[in-house]
């Protein structure tokens, strides 16, 4: 029997033993792709932004703009893929921000910009400090924030912050955690209050004490000690870790007698003045029930599963209860993008299943149960292969990619119904063997159906080439 492209494909797979194996294999791959594809609320967008901070002590804002900002802007504009340059000139320094085109690799952008700055250091004015370069990106958006409250705190959040710092350090050691931040509470500070009379009695000045403290708080290499075929590294000094260490620092020697810092100053180890404040109101509380709190923010690495990381972080917090965290400290999840991403992904997947079964029931009542089974198998297999392609191309399961799947179901079901309806018509005529009737039916409408599908693809294909911030949103569709 002579057939076209569609009929030939149908004839080849109609009675092939590979057909059920390929179907089952496709479903397994699709399920594995769903389980292994990272889930998040929004698609990954690469928009690198790099801050360049440079100081020029003693300069006015106008001098900073003319002598510092303008040369920096000219140098940054020479870097490839830079789309915008923002600058702020102020007394004693400036901040210049370079924003790159969407899709630029952050590491490449940072390397190129830093190299360009180093190549133009000879154009910097005298007295300018070396540039301080900081890379920012979408991955700095926290996926999980934990607010610590309660406990035996004095009211300034000092104790809470100490526990939060240790907890954040433990969380940062986890795999796929990019960065952690601690917000709120009073940080630890060792305060040195000089006694003017004690300094005068010993002939010391505040500058001498400051220099002695800076020299004492150092841990420097002093070479190696080689003896007996062994090499032992030698280091001088140690870092100051407590108020007692600071108080024992020798600031001068007068008449062969060591003058320690505690002899000329008061050393206190305690909370500093907070520069960030976080308050927490328990559920059902009133305005006067606000209590001091500290928030820990956690960001993930690019392309990792937000849901998995958030769940693992909460398990780690439970493990550290009683070790790092006090039993009386409350831990409240104030943001969990992993949970919301999972909920939205599951909701959209549920709607995809509902739409599929709705179409199957419609085909069942209008054409028959055999035709409904064909649609029931064809739609999930095609969606499974689509999810596999998502995984291979590095897409994540988010609201955009799942919407694209919902959109594709309409095209997929439309094609399946056209082919199945023509097969049912030929079978009802009973003029040929069912296998031959199925091949002829597919051959009749297969090519036009494929052509119609390519027409729809051609209509939406330009969305794949949308640039700018909308590109990552349009490309999955």
């Amino acid at each position: 029997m002579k057939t076209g492209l569609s009929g030939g494909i149908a004839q080849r797979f109609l009675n092939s033993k590979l057909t059920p194996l390929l179907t089952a294999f496709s479903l397994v791959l699709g399920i594995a792709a769903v389980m292994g594809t990272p889930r998040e609320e929004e698609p990954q967008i690469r928009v690198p932004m790099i801050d360049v901070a440079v100081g020029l002590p003693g300069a006015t804002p106008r001098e900073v703009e003319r002598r510092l900002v303008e040369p920096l802007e000219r140098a940054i504009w020479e870097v490839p893929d830079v789309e915008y340059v923002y600058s702020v000139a102020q007394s004693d320094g400036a901040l210049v921000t370079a924003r790159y085109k969407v899709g630029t690799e952050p590491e490449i952008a940072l390397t190129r910009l830093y190299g360009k700055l180093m190549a133009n250091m000879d154009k910097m004015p005298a007295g300018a400090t070396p540039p301080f370069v900081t890379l920012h990106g979408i991955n700095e958006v926290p996926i999980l924030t934990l607010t610590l409250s309660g406990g035996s705190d004095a009211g300034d959040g000092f104790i809470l912050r100490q526990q939060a710092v240790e907890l954040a350090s433990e969380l940062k050691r986890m795999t796929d955690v990019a960065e952690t931040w601690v917000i709120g509470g009073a940080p630890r500070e060792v305060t040195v209050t000089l006694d003017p009379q004690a300094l005068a009695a010993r002939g010391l000045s505040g500058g001498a004490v400051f220099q002695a403290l800076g020299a004492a708080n150092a841990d420097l290499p002093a070479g190696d000690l080689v003896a007996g075929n062994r090499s032992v590294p030698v280091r001088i000094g140690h870092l100051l870790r407590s108020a007692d260490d600071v108080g024992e620092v020798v600031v001068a020697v007068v008449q062969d007698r060591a003058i320690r810092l505690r002899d000329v100053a008061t050393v206190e180890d305690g909370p500093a003045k907070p520069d960030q404040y976080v308050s927490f109101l328990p559920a059902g509380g009133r305005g006067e029930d606000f209590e001091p709190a500290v928030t820990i923010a956690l960001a993930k690495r690019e392309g990792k599963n937000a849901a998995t990381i958030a769940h693992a972080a909460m398990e780690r917090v439970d493990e550290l209860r009683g070790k790092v965290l006090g039993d009386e400290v409350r831990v409240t999840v104030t943001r969990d993008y992993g949970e919301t991403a999972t909920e939205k992904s599951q909701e959209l997947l549920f709607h995809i299943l509902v739409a599929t079964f709705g179409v199957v029931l419609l085909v069942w009542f209008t054409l028959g149960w055999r035709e409904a089974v064909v649609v029931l198998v064809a739609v999930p297999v095609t969606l499974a292969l689509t999810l596999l392609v998502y995984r291979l191309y590095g897409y994540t399961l988010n609201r955009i990619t799942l919407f694209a799947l919902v959109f594709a179901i309409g095209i997929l079901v439309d094609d399946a119904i056209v082919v199945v309806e023509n097969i049912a018509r030929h079978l009802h005529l009973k003029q040929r063997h069912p296998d031959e009737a199925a091949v002829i039916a597919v051959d009749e409408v297969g090519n036009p159906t494929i052509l119609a599908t390519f027409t729809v693809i051609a209509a939406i294909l330009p969305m794949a080439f949308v640039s700018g911030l909308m590109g990552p949103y349009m490309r999955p569709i």
Side-chain angles (χ1 to χ4, degrees):
M1 181 174 58
K2 186 177 180 179
T3 60
L5 176 63
S6 301
I9 296 175
Q11 188 175 12
R12 178 162 302 192
F13 284 94
L14 182 61
N15 295 312
S16 175
K17 295 181 180 180
L18 291 177
T19 301
L21 292 178
L22 290 176
T23 302
F25 186 61
S26 300
L27 289 173
V28 171
L29 289 178
I31 294 173
V34 171
M35 298 179 63
T37 303
R39 301 184 181 188
E40 53 190 4
E41 287 200 45
E42 304 291 343
Q44 289 283 343
I45 302 177
R46 291 181 177 177
V47 190
M49 297 183 67
I50 300 179
D51 289 337
V52 180
V54 183
L56 189 60
T60 63
R62 186 174 296 276
E63 291 177 333
V64 169
E65 180 183 7
R66 181 174 54 85
R67 301 177 59 195
L68 199 61
V69 172
E70 292 179 0
L72 279 176
E73 288 182 343
R74 287 194 295 268
I76 291 175
W77 274 120
E78 296 176 2
V79 179
D81 298 327
V82 172
E83 190 172 17
Y84 299 101
V85 176
Y86 313 96
S87 59
V88 177
Q90 57 188 11
S91 299
D92 303 324
L95 177 66
V96 182
T97 302
R99 175 181 154 185
Y100 285 76
K101 295 179 180 179
V102 178
T104 305
E105 288 289 341
E107 291 78 11
I108 296 178
L110 180 62
T111 303
R112 288 176 175 174
L113 181 62
Y114 190 79
K116 179 61 68 174
L117 292 175
M118 294 299 102
N120 287 270
M121 286 299 293
D122 58 331
K123 300 178 182 178
M124 300 290 285
T129 62
F132 182 77
V133 182
T134 306
L135 174 65
H136 301 285
I138 193 66
N139 292 320
E140 292 184 2
V141 177
I143 64 164
L144 179 68
T145 58
L146 307 175
T147 299
L148 278 58
S149 59
S152 56
D153 208 312
D156 53 9
F158 175 67
I159 300 177
L160 280 175
R161 184 177 177 89
Q162 301 310 308
Q163 298 182 47
V165 169
E166 294 185 20
L167 179 59
S169 177
E170 293 292 333
L171 293 178
K172 192 174 182 179
R173 297 177 184 176
M174 296 175 52
T175 306
D176 300 332
V177 173
E179 190 59 75
T180 57
W181 299 272
V182 177
I183 306 169
R188 181 188 177 191
E189 181 179 77
V190 176
T191 305
V192 177
T193 305
L194 298 177
D195 186 349
Q197 296 181 351
L199 289 174
R202 293 166 175 81
L204 298 177
S205 64
V209 174
F210 178 80
Q211 292 180 357
L213 273 176
N217 189 32
D219 185 6
L220 303 174
D224 297 328
L225 178 62
V226 180
N229 294 327
R230 296 180 62 187
S231 177
V232 180
V234 179
R235 304 188 68 87
I236 298 176
H238 65 89
L239 298 179
L240 304 176
R241 302 183 182 276
S242 65
D244 293 337
D245 291 344
V246 176
E248 291 297 322
V249 171
V250 177
V251 296
V253 177
V254 179
Q255 297 179 356
D256 296 331
R257 179 175 176 270
I259 306 300
R260 303 186 183 277
L261 182 62
R262 54 181 169 80
D263 299 328
V264 295
T266 303
V267 181
E268 297 178 347
D269 187 354
K273 183 178 180 180
D275 55 0
Q276 296 174 324
Y277 293 88
V278 177
S279 299
F280 180 74
L281 180 65
R286 296 175 296 179
E288 60 270 16
D289 295 332
F290 275 103
E291 54 188 37
V294 178
T295 295
I296 300 175
L298 182 147
K300 70 179 184 67
R301 299 185 187 277
E302 182 180 0
K304 301 303 179 180
N305 196 328
T308 303
I309 297 173
H311 180 71
M314 293 307 303
E315 289 184 344
R316 183 58 176 159
V317 171
D318 293 337
E319 293 175 0
L320 296 174
R321 173 73 70 176
K323 301 177 182 177
V324 174
L325 288 178
D327 295 329
E328 70 281 0
V329 175
R330 294 191 304 270
V331 179
T332 306
V333 179
T334 48
R335 173 189 291 178
D336 189 350
Y337 277 0
E339 181 180 357
T340 55
T342 301
E343 291 177 356
K344 293 176 181 178
S345 299
Q346 291 177 347
E347 182 180 1
L348 284 172
L349 288 173
F350 173 75
H351 288 303
I352 290 175
L353 294 176
V354 170
T356 302
F357 280 106
V359 172
V360 169
L361 290 176
L362 179 62
V363 174
W364 190 347
F365 287 120
T366 55
L367 298 178
W369 68 269
R370 290 183 178 87
E371 292 79 359
V373 170
V374 174
V375 176
L376 181 62
V377 173
V379 174
V381 169
T382 308
L383 291 179
L385 292 177
T386 305
L387 290 169
L388 177 62
V389 173
Y390 272 176
R391 184 73 178 98
L392 295 178
Y393 272 87
Y395 287 116
T396 60
L397 283 183
N398 52 70
R399 63 179 72 187
I400 305 300
T401 53
L402 291 176
F403 168 75
L405 286 178
V406 175
F407 178 71
I409 284 180
I411 304 173
L412 176 62
V413 170
D414 182 55
D415 294 345
I417 289 177
V418 171
V419 176
V420 169
E421 190 277 334
N422 200 44
I423 294 175
R425 184 178 64 84
H426 276 270
L427 293 177
H428 289 159
L429 293 176
K430 298 181 180 180
Q431 295 178 352
R432 294 180 176 86
H433 187 273
D435 291 352
E436 184 181 358
V439 173
I440 293 176
V442 173
D443 191 57
E444 287 179 352
V445 299
N447 291 340
T449 302
I450 294 175
L451 180 60
T453 303
F454 276 115
T455 302
V456 175
I457 293 175
I460 63 176
L461 187 60
M463 299 175 68
F465 302 98
V466 175
S467 60
L469 290 174
M470 289 303 297
Y473 289 89
M474 299 292 103
R475 203 165 293 120
I477 300 176

